[in-house]
Amino acid sequence: MGSLFRSEEVCLAQLFMQSASAYNCVSALGELGLVEFRDLNQNVNSFQRRFVSEVRRCDEMEKTFNFLDQELKKAKMQPQVQDENPPAPAPKDVMHIKEQSEQLAHELREISRNRDSMHSQLWELREYAIILRESQRFTSHPMIMDSPRLQRAATETDPLLDPSVSRRMELKLNFIAGVIHPVKVNAFERLLWRACRGYLIANFVEMGEAMEDPVTGENVKWVIFLIPYWGEQIGQKIKKIADCFRCRTYPYEDQEVDRLETLRGLLTKIEDMQAVLANTEHFLEQVLEKVVQVLHTWRVQVRKMKAIYLVLNQCSVDVTDKCLIAEVWCPTADLPLVRQALIQASTQSGDSVESIVNRIPSSEKPPTLTRTNRFTSGFQAIVDAYGVGTYQEVNPAPYTIITFPFLFAVMFGDVGHGLLMSIFAIWMIVEENNKKMKKSEI
């Protein structure tokens, strides 16, 4: 009853831990959560302490875990919580965790890079195929075999130049084909007309389907353009203007037979690329499943390991360099538990010399420790929000268990509101141990 109305009696203790078993001793004390370590190396730089390399190794592993977590978020996956509180790993198991995590990260980087490269290639192949398919309306028209040729009015779907006329004039007709953003079409056409002085006919048609913009990621209905021209100088002008407008241009054969052959080859490449991309996605899912199963456990273990080495950096070393000395604040009633934990940790480490804990006198004011349970922790948090009491001061939290609900009822004196709050409180108590609710933002 005294611990509920007044803070615990705390004493200062000194620990003597063998270097071989110090890691396990600090890990056991951390699992108990009954002690607070003091820094005995305040005058030593953080980069000059004994276990700096181990802390740096943990930081590097945490960076690898962050990368793995980002890849899971991209795939909309979450790590599985197989054990909410796994123990700290043994020092000999650290390199195994590091090698496995780095191997998974390397595989994910390689697979993601290959997948993105294949996505880009597939996107270009599809765009090229659409250009060849849609531009046929400008360069050819259907003809009926063995039928007389009739004169008719020209239309927009007629070819730009009659092949027979081209052969008679002995002119070589070249083409530039590509795509442009629909916002830039008017300015692009106007500049082409002025730069080439009207010696060309630019044809534009909108794609039938929207495709993703490689820069912004938004879906855009690109505009396909086909520009016939004569002469190298005009062709160079057109290419420079297209580059200024960030147009994506593609090779365009002069003969229709060659264009059809290119289109068939593109369709074959697209099918092959889709099959390879599907296998890559399947392999990526397999690697991500491995990450899902081990990431949470690894992350908790490495955090505990880093905390252990940070505590060991606060310990001083004796003259023989075989023993670590630490000072801790500990509840007086829990000293036997601390002593028992140190003995068990020394035994598990295979050390013949047990670690020792001794109570030492101190003129400093100990920290305040108030024990709580699941019921009183909420009211204790309200009191601590206004300020933590001094050592051995009367704890007002038990009295707020009565006064706080009463004052809250005075402020919100509504039966309906109180009923809703009661139902919500009962629901939270019932779902307290639900793992899904613990992951939610509530």
Side-chain angles (χ1 to χ4, degrees):
M1 182 64 70
S3 62
L4 181 63
F5 292 94
R6 193 178 297 273
S7 61
E8 284 281 331
E9 181 181 355
V10 179
C11 65
L12 184 64
Q14 193 173 39
L15 308 180
F16 294 90
M17 301 175 292
Q18 299 298 316
S19 299
S21 60
Y23 180 90
N24 290 335
C25 290
V26 175
S27 176
L29 294 178
E31 296 294 340
L32 282 179
L34 297 176
V35 298
E36 178 183 343
F37 284 83
R38 298 179 64 189
D39 191 0
L40 302 181
N41 300 318
Q42 295 182 358
N43 298 327
V44 181
N45 194 317
S46 300
F47 300 98
Q48 297 177 349
R49 301 195 178 191
R50 185 172 183 176
F51 299 96
V52 173
S53 59
E54 286 79 1
V55 175
R56 189 180 295 113
R57 185 187 300 119
C58 294
D59 290 335
E60 294 175 357
M61 295 172 66
E62 287 182 342
K63 291 179 181 179
T64 305
F65 297 157
N66 290 335
F67 170 75
L68 297 177
D69 189 35
Q70 290 176 359
E71 292 297 320
L72 289 181
K73 289 181 180 178
K74 290 180 182 179
K76 297 181 180 179
M77 302 174 67
Q78 292 184 353
Q80 291 182 358
V81 183
Q82 298 179 352
D83 188 0
E84 295 184 358
N85 189 24
K92 61 181 180 181
D93 298 334
V94 177
M95 296 307 299
H96 179 66
I97 296 176
K98 184 178 181 181
E99 291 176 359
Q100 282 191 335
S101 61
E102 289 179 351
Q103 182 180 358
L104 289 174
H106 178 71
E107 291 180 358
L108 284 177
R109 288 191 181 96
E110 291 295 329
I111 297 172
S112 299
R113 188 183 300 112
N114 295 334
R115 182 192 59 179
D116 295 340
S117 176
M118 285 188 288
H119 269 299
S120 178
Q121 294 177 12
L122 181 61
W123 183 83
E124 291 179 358
L125 292 175
R126 286 176 174 173
E127 189 176 66
Y128 192 12
I130 292 175
I131 291 174
L132 293 178
R133 190 183 299 113
E134 294 293 336
S135 61
Q136 290 296 321
R137 67 180 68 180
F138 302 129
T139 57
S140 63
H141 60 273
M143 294 182 60
I144 303 176
M145 301 300 296
D146 300 332
S147 62
R149 197 174 173 87
L150 301 177
Q151 297 293 333
R152 60 182 179 81
T155 63
E156 294 182 355
T157 60
D158 287 345
L160 299 173
L161 187 64
D162 192 345
S164 61
V165 176
S166 176
R167 286 193 296 269
R168 290 197 301 269
M169 296 177 63
E170 296 183 355
L171 296 176
K172 184 179 180 181
L173 183 63
N174 298 318
F175 295 93
I176 293 180
V179 294
I180 185 174
H181 198 279
V183 179
K184 304 177 182 178
V185 173
N186 293 333
F188 179 61
E189 185 177 10
R190 191 181 305 113
L191 185 57
L192 285 175
W193 181 266
R194 292 178 180 176
C196 300
R197 301 180 180 179
Y199 290 100
L200 56 81
I201 300 175
N203 299 274
F204 298 91
V205 61
E206 190 180 50
M207 281 188 180
E209 56 179 317
M211 296 189 66
E212 183 181 358
D213 190 342
V215 179
T216 61
E218 61 179 359
N219 291 329
V220 180
K221 278 195 173 183
W222 298 93
V223 175
I224 301 173
F225 64 85
L226 180 65
I227 305 174
Y229 67 93
W230 293 273
E232 295 295 330
Q233 293 184 354
I234 295 180
Q236 292 178 0
K237 288 183 180 180
I238 296 174
K239 291 178 181 178
K240 290 181 180 179
I241 295 173
D243 292 338
C244 292
F245 281 86
R246 299 184 181 277
C247 302
R248 294 186 297 277
T249 58
Y250 295 89
Y252 199 85
E253 301 293 340
D254 300 335
Q255 301 297 325
E256 183 177 0
V257 178
D258 297 334
R259 291 194 293 269
L260 293 177
E261 185 66 25
T262 303
L263 180 59
R264 284 192 289 268
L266 288 175
L267 296 178
T268 303
K269 289 181 180 179
I270 289 174
E271 292 180 358
D272 296 339
M273 188 69 69
Q274 288 177 342
V276 175
L277 187 59
N279 294 332
T280 304
E281 293 283 355
H282 180 66
F283 183 60
L284 178 61
E285 291 180 0
Q286 292 179 349
V287 178
L288 289 175
E289 285 294 335
K290 296 179 182 178
V291 177
V292 165
Q293 296 176 2
V294 297
L295 181 58
H296 174 77
T297 303
W298 283 352
R299 175 167 284 178
V300 175
Q301 288 180 332
V302 171
R303 285 177 180 174
K304 288 186 176 182
M305 181 189 302
K306 182 180 179 181
I308 291 172
Y309 284 122
L310 289 175
V311 169
L312 292 176
N313 279 333
Q314 298 177 359
C315 303
S316 61
V317 185
D318 67 342
V319 180
T320 61
D321 201 24
K322 295 182 180 180
C323 181
L324 294 179
I325 304 173
E327 291 183 0
V328 298
W329 293 106
C330 174
T332 305
D334 294 330
L335 274 177
L337 294 177
V338 174
R339 185 175 292 106
Q340 184 65 26
L342 293 175
I343 294 174
Q344 292 179 357
S346 301
T347 304
Q348 292 176 358
S349 302
D351 200 343
S352 58
V353 181
E354 296 180 353
S355 300
I356 302 173
V357 54
N358 293 324
R359 181 176 179 177
I360 58 176
S362 174
S363 59
E364 297 183 19
K365 181 176 294 187
T368 302
L369 173 63
T370 304
R371 297 185 187 272
T372 59
N373 52 36
R374 291 190 300 175
F375 180 71
T376 61
S377 60
F379 298 97
Q380 187 68 49
I382 297 173
V383 174
D384 292 341
Y386 293 95
V388 180
T390 58
Y391 178 64
Q392 291 284 285
E393 186 180 8
V394 175
N395 182 25
Y399 306 102
T400 59
I401 297 175
I402 299 174
T403 58
F404 182 79
F406 175 76
L407 293 176
F408 191 83
V410 170
M411 290 186 292
F412 298 95
D414 184 83
V415 176
H417 182 268
L419 180 61
L420 293 177
M421 293 294 293
S422 300
I423 295 174
F424 180 69
I426 294 172
W427 174 77
M428 293 185 67
I429 293 173
V430 172
E431 298 292 336
E432 180 181 6
N433 296 324
N434 191 345
K435 295 182 178 180
K436 295 183 179 179
M437 298 304 300
K438 291 182 179 180
K439 293 182 181 179
S440 65
E441 296 181 356
I442 296 180

